[in-house]
Amino acid sequence: MIAINNLSVEFSAKSLFDNINYVINKKDKIALVGKNGAGKSTMLKIIAGIQRPTSGSVSVPQGVSIGYLPQHMTINDSLTVIEEARTAFSEIKKLHDEFDRCNNDIASRSDYDSPDYQKLIDRITTLTERLAMEDSDNGEAEIEKTLIGLGFKRSDFTRPTSEFSGGWRMRIELAKILLKKPDVLLLDEPTNHLDIESIQWLENFLLTKANAVVLVSHDRAFIDNITNRTIEISLGKIYDYSVNYSKYVVLRQERLDQQRRAYMNQQKQIQDTEEFIERFRYKATKSVQVQSRIKQLAKIDRIEIDEVDTSHLNLKFPPAPRSGDYPIIAENVGKAYGQHQVFDHATFTIKRGEKVAFVGKNGEGKSTLVKCIMNEIPYTGTLKTGHNVKIGYFAQNQAQLLDGEITVFDTIDHVAVGDIRTKIRDILGAFMFGGAASDKKVKVLSGGEKTRLAMIRLLLEPVNLLILDEPTNHLDMTTKDILKQAIKDFNGTVIVVSHDREFLDGLVEKVYEFGDGKVKECLGGIYEFLEKKKLASLAELEKTQPKKEVKTEVTKPVSAQQPAKEKQRLSYTEQRERDKLIKKAERKVKDAEENIGAVEKEIAEVESLIASGEVTGDIFDRHAALQKKLDNAMSLWEIAGMELDELKASLDK
C-alpha cells in the first residue's frame, strides 16, 4: 500500500537512514523498534509527510489516508472535549457541503449532453458512494464510545480542553485520530499517558477496527499483543521480521548466531586456501592446483556480519548517604481539590532501603501524593521526612521542562555545582552523549534522549530517596532494562510510580494501591500483589468498580444489591422511583439487543442468497449497508449498557 523507496536521511553529515526499502501492507500491524535516537520518530514523520528525506521517496496511493500521533503536540484550548472530538468529522461535513452544492447546481442546469454536466453527474455519484461508506449517522455514538474508552467521564465532555493536563489532551488528539479511521495509523508512544484500562481498550481497538498500524512504543506487552511484524532500525539499516516483538528478539539472536557461525566457517576455509596457495605457489607440480585455488578464492562471496549497535547507557546511582530508619512517615494524609477528595486518611511508613511502587488508575492521586512528599502542594494530616533524607525527584514531565534552545552540555553545566563540574563530559559520555552529541541543541533530541538527559540530574549529587514518576516513558527496551538494574543496585530508598508491570516485576518489594480515595499497603512484589487480589493483570485493578460488585450487579436483581438496612432507609416512593429508572435503562439495553438480533437475521438471509448463487445487482451494496447498520446497533447497545452501569453505580452510592 505505502512503499518506502531508497530512503536516506542525513543530519550534520551523519547518516540516520541509508537507502532503506520496505512496504506497509493493508493489514500490517508493525512495531518500529530501535534504540533512542535510531530514527523511529523521524521515520513516522517522513511517512506522514511532515518531514522530507535527504533522498528517496514515500509512495502513498491516491485516496489512502494517514493518521499520525506524535509524542508531543499542541491542542486547541478554545473548545470543549466533545467539540474538539467532533472536528474529526470535519472532512465528512465538507463532503456533505460539496454534495449539496452539486445537487443545487445540477437542478438549475439543462445542458444534459454537455461534458460538464456529465462530470457533475460523475462527481455526485462519487460523493454518494463516499458518504454511504462513512459512518456519519453514528458519529456521536462513536465519539462517546471512544472518549469513554480512553478514560474520559461523561461529565468531562463539556469541560474546556484547557482544564486538562498534557496527558489528557493527548488522549483527545488520539480520539480524533481514531475516529477518522485512517487507512494507516502512525502512533508514536501512544501509551505514555494512558493507564492500563485505557491501554487495553486501545489494544482492542487497534486489533479489531484499525487497518494498517505502524507503532513506536516502549511497552513490550502492548506491542506484543498488537503487532504481527517488527522492523528494527539500527545504524542506518532496517531488519524486517514477520513476527511480533518477543519472537523477533529470538529470531534476531538466531540470525546473528547463524551469521557468526557461517562467517567463522568461511574464514577458516579462506585461511586454509590461502595457506595452500602460499605453500605451493612456487612448485611447478602444484601450479594447476594453485591456480584453481586462486580462482576459487576470488569467486567466494564474502559473508558479512550485520553491524550491531552495542552502545548502551552506563547508569549507576552514587552511593546513598545514610538516612534515618524511616525516610517517609505519613499519618492521615489527605488531599482535596475543592469538593473533589483525591485521597484521605493515607497512613503508611516507608523504611530505609525499601523499594516500593505506587499503582492505580490515572487520577487516583499517585503523582499528587508524590507532590505532597516533595512539599510542593498543601495537604491535610502529617507527612514527615526522616533524618538526613535527601530526595532525588524525576517528574513525569521532566523531559518536557528542558530548555530546547541550549546544548546538552549547557543543560547540565547550568545545574552542576562544585567538583562535579569537572566530570560533566564523563557523565554525558556514560549517558551516550559523548563527543559531538554533547553540543547538540536539546530541541533536536528524541523523546528518549531527553529523558536520559533529564535523568542525569539525579546523578549530580548523592541522594538517599529516589522518587521516579513514570521514568520509563520514551525509553527504549534496552535502556529501560539498564535503568531497572541501576535502581535494584541502588542502596537507598526508592518510590516508583508506574503502570509498567514488567518494569516493576522483581524491582519492588511493596505495593501501594490507589483507588476509591484510599491508599492501601500490600506487602510483596507486583505479582504477589496481583495474586492476593486474585487478578490476572493490573487492568483489573484499574477498573472503576471492584470485580465482586460487577458480578453482583449482573447476577442478582436490583432489589438484592443493597443490604437490608440500606433498603429500610429508602421510602416506598424512593424505592419505586429507583426501580423505575433502572427498568427504563434495562429496557433500552433490551431494545438495542433486539435490534441487533433483527439486523443479524437480515444479514444471514442476504448471505444465504449469496451462498446459493442468487446474486442480484445490488445485493453486495445491501450487505455492506446492513453491516454498517449492525455496527451502529452495536455502538448504541454498548452506550446503553454503559449508561445502565453508571446509573446503578450512582444509585448505589
Side-chain angles (χ1 to χ4, degrees):
M1 186 166 59
I2 294 179
I4 288 78
N5 308 308
N6 302 319
L7 196 72
S8 296
V9 174
E10 293 182 1
F11 288 121
S12 305
K14 180 189 174 184
S15 180
L16 190 63
F17 304 133
D18 185 19
N19 204 35
I20 285 175
N21 294 276
Y22 65 95
V23 174
I24 302 171
N25 300 306
K26 193 172 182 179
K27 289 295 182 182
D28 277 346
K29 303 289 192 295
I30 300 173
L32 205 59
V33 302
K35 293 195 172 185
N36 292 139
K40 302 185 297 294
S41 296
T42 302
M43 178 66 76
L44 293 186
K45 288 176 184 176
I46 290 172
I47 298 172
I50 296 171
Q51 188 171 322
R52 294 183 64 84
T54 307
S55 63
S57 64
V58 177
S59 301
V60 182
Q62 190 174 0
V64 171
S65 57
I66 296 175
Y68 170 54
L69 180 76
Q71 287 187 24
H72 312 291
M73 62 177 31
T74 305
I75 297 176
N76 191 344
D77 284 334
S78 62
L79 302 174
T80 64
V81 171
I82 194 128
E83 287 171 344
E84 185 68 32
R86 283 180 185 140
T87 62
F89 297 113
S90 58
E91 290 300 318
I92 298 175
K93 188 178 182 305
K94 288 179 182 177
L95 290 175
H96 275 290
D97 293 341
E98 187 183 354
F99 182 78
D100 293 338
R101 285 196 304 271
C102 290
N103 273 329
N104 292 332
D105 190 12
I106 203 167
S108 62
R109 298 180 64 157
S110 58
D111 53 335
Y112 306 122
D113 296 327
S114 68
D116 288 343
Y117 190 89
Q118 189 57 47
K119 285 181 182 177
L120 196 58
I121 291 290
D122 292 341
R123 183 58 182 162
I124 289 175
T125 304
T126 303
L127 288 170
T128 303
E129 290 173 353
R130 282 282 308 276
L131 290 171
M133 292 172 63
E134 300 290 346
D135 204 6
S136 56
D137 293 337
N138 199 36
E140 288 297 311
E142 285 293 320
I143 290 171
E144 288 190 22
K145 189 168 65 172
T146 303
L147 289 174
I148 290 171
L150 290 173
F152 290 94
K153 299 175 182 175
R154 291 185 187 279
S155 57
D156 295 330
F157 290 1
T158 54
R159 290 173 59 191
T161 58
S162 56
E163 294 182 4
F164 291 86
S165 66
W168 284 96
R169 291 157 87 180
M170 183 68 78
R171 295 190 191 203
I172 298 170
E173 194 63 27
L174 177 58
K176 286 165 58 180
I177 293 168
L178 298 180
L179 286 166
K180 289 178 182 177
K181 298 179 181 178
D183 297 306
V184 181
L185 269 172
L186 309 176
L187 304 177
D188 196 351
E189 300 284 6
T191 64
N192 278 352
H193 304 287
L194 300 180
D195 52 46
I196 297 294
E197 188 177 351
S198 298
I199 290 172
Q200 274 205 323
W201 180 89
L202 181 59
E203 278 182 11
N204 184 62
F205 183 95
L206 295 178
L207 284 170
T208 59
K209 294 188 177 181
N211 296 308
V213 178
V214 183
L215 179 68
V216 175
S217 177
H218 69 273
D219 190 324
R220 191 171 301 174
F222 180 67
I223 62 175
D224 261 349
N225 291 339
I226 293 170
T227 59
N228 54 23
R229 183 178 168 193
T230 303
I231 295 178
E232 178 194 10
I233 302 176
S234 178
L235 300 173
K237 297 180 180 179
I238 66 161
Y239 302 93
D240 199 340
Y241 297 81
S242 299
V243 294
N244 65 12
Y245 182 82
S246 292
K247 292 178 181 176
Y248 142 77
V249 172
V250 176
L251 292 178
R252 178 177 179 269
Q253 191 57 51
E254 288 178 357
R255 174 177 62 82
L256 291 173
D257 291 342
Q258 288 173 358
Q259 274 189 348
R260 291 191 187 99
R261 287 195 296 270
Y263 175 80
M264 296 301 294
N265 291 334
Q266 190 182 67
Q267 288 299 304
K268 188 172 185 312
Q269 181 187 348
I270 291 171
Q271 186 181 351
D272 292 344
T273 304
E274 288 176 341
E275 287 178 355
F276 181 91
I277 293 169
E278 193 62 33
R279 187 185 305 165
F280 300 109
R281 184 185 293 275
Y282 304 108
K283 289 190 177 182
T285 55
K286 298 283 188 179
S287 62
V288 176
Q289 291 159 295
V290 168
Q291 290 300 316
S292 175
R293 297 293 175 93
I294 291 173
K295 289 178 182 178
Q296 184 184 358
L297 196 62
K299 290 179 181 178
I300 290 178
D301 188 10
R302 305 283 175 128
I303 296 172
E304 292 184 2
I305 298 177
D306 290 334
E307 194 176 357
V308 179
D309 189 354
T310 57
S311 60
H312 63 272
L313 178 68
N314 187 14
L315 176 57
K316 188 176 181 180
F317 293 105
R322 187 176 177 85
S323 69
D325 290 338
Y326 301 99
I328 299 293
I329 301 173
E331 295 180 5
N332 295 317
V333 177
K335 177 61 186 175
Y337 292 102
Q339 297 297 316
H340 176 57
Q341 191 73 40
V342 183
F343 57 82
D344 201 10
H345 301 296
T347 300
F348 59 90
T349 301
I350 298 176
K351 297 179 182 178
R352 183 181 67 242
E354 280 188 332
K355 294 176 176 61
V356 305
F358 288 177
V359 301
K361 189 177 175 68
N362 282 354
E364 294 289 352
K366 302 184 298 294
S367 296
T368 301
L369 183 55
V370 167
K371 290 177 181 177
C372 294
I373 294 172
M374 297 294 299
N375 207 25
E376 292 182 356
I377 56 175
Y379 54 87
T380 59
T382 306
L383 190 53
K384 299 178 182 177
T385 54
H387 172 68
N388 197 37
V389 171
K390 300 181 185 296
I391 299 177
Y393 177 42
F394 183 88
Q396 189 171 348
N397 62 338
Q398 197 77 52
Q400 281 73 58
L401 299 176
L402 300 172
D403 186 349
E405 297 302 323
I406 63 175
T407 66
V408 170
F409 181 88
D410 289 338
T411 299
I412 304 304
D413 189 46
H414 288 176
V415 294
V417 293
D419 294 339
I420 197 74
R421 296 191 66 187
T422 62
K423 300 178 181 177
I424 290 177
R425 293 284 182 189
D426 294 336
I427 294 172
L428 288 174
F431 277 73
M432 295 163 37
F433 290 116
S438 63
D439 297 322
K440 286 183 178 178
K441 283 194 174 183
V442 172
K443 65 181 180 183
V444 304
L445 301 179
S446 69
E449 288 172 323
K450 287 178 181 176
T451 300
R452 290 207 311 265
L453 183 61
M455 201 164 285
I456 294 176
R457 298 181 181 218
L458 297 177
L459 303 182
L460 295 180
E461 61 181 46
V463 298
N464 47 32
L465 174 58
L466 276 175
I467 302 178
L468 307 173
D469 193 352
E470 299 289 356
T472 61
N473 282 358
H474 307 293
L475 292 182
D476 60 60
M477 308 285 187
T478 304
T479 303
K480 191 169 70 170
D481 292 340
I482 292 168
L483 174 61
K484 180 177 177 176
Q485 188 59 49
I487 296 172
K488 289 171 74 173
D489 295 339
F490 178 61
N491 63 335
T493 310
V494 182
I495 299 172
V496 184
V497 180
S498 179
H499 295 295
D500 194 328
R501 182 179 61 185
E502 187 181 29
F503 182 73
L504 296 175
D505 181 33
L507 177 62
V508 300
E509 60 225 34
K510 190 188 292 183
V511 175
Y512 289 96
E513 175 193 352
F514 288 68
D516 300 323
K518 299 177 182 177
V519 181
K520 299 177 184 176
E521 181 182 277
C522 308
L523 298 177
I526 194 71
Y527 281 104
E528 287 83 357
F529 163 70
L530 295 175
E531 188 176 347
K532 289 175 185 175
K533 297 283 291 184
K534 296 181 180 180
L535 305 173
S537 68
L538 281 176
E540 295 295 329
L541 163 66
E542 295 184 348
K543 288 186 176 177
T544 307
Q545 298 182 25
K547 193 172 181 181
K548 188 177 178 181
E549 291 182 11
V550 174
K551 187 176 179 181
T552 304
E553 288 182 1
V554 173
T555 58
K556 293 185 179 181
V558 175
S559 59
Q561 290 180 12
Q562 292 190 343
K565 289 183 180 179
E566 190 67 25
K567 285 196 291 184
Q568 289 173 8
R569 295 193 191 118
L570 296 174
S571 67
Y572 174 77
T573 306
E574 289 172 331
Q575 185 66 42
R576 188 175 177 183
E577 188 63 29
R578 168 194 168 95
D579 292 345
K580 190 186 292 184
L581 289 171
I582 290 178
K583 283 180 181 177
K584 187 177 178 181
E586 287 176 339
R587 182 64 193 172
K588 196 173 179 181
V589 173
K590 189 178 179 182
D591 289 345
E593 289 173 349
E594 289 175 354
N595 188 28
I596 290 170
V599 177
E600 286 178 338
K601 186 178 178 182
E602 288 185 69
I603 291 173
E605 290 172 356
V606 172
E607 288 177 346
S608 65
L609 289 173
I610 295 171
S612 63
E614 298 178 28
V615 180
T616 58
D618 65 339
I619 194 165
F620 293 106
D621 292 337
R622 281 177 59 197
H623 188 267
L626 286 170
Q627 285 290 355
K628 288 289 182 186
K629 191 175 179 181
L630 180 62
D631 290 342
N632 293 349
M634 291 292 291
S635 296
L636 293 171
W637 173 72
E638 288 180 13
I639 290 171
M642 287 188 289
E643 288 176 348
L644 176 61
D645 291 341
E646 288 178 4
L647 177 62
K648 287 180 177 179
S650 65
L651 292 174
D652 286 341
K653 288 182 180 177

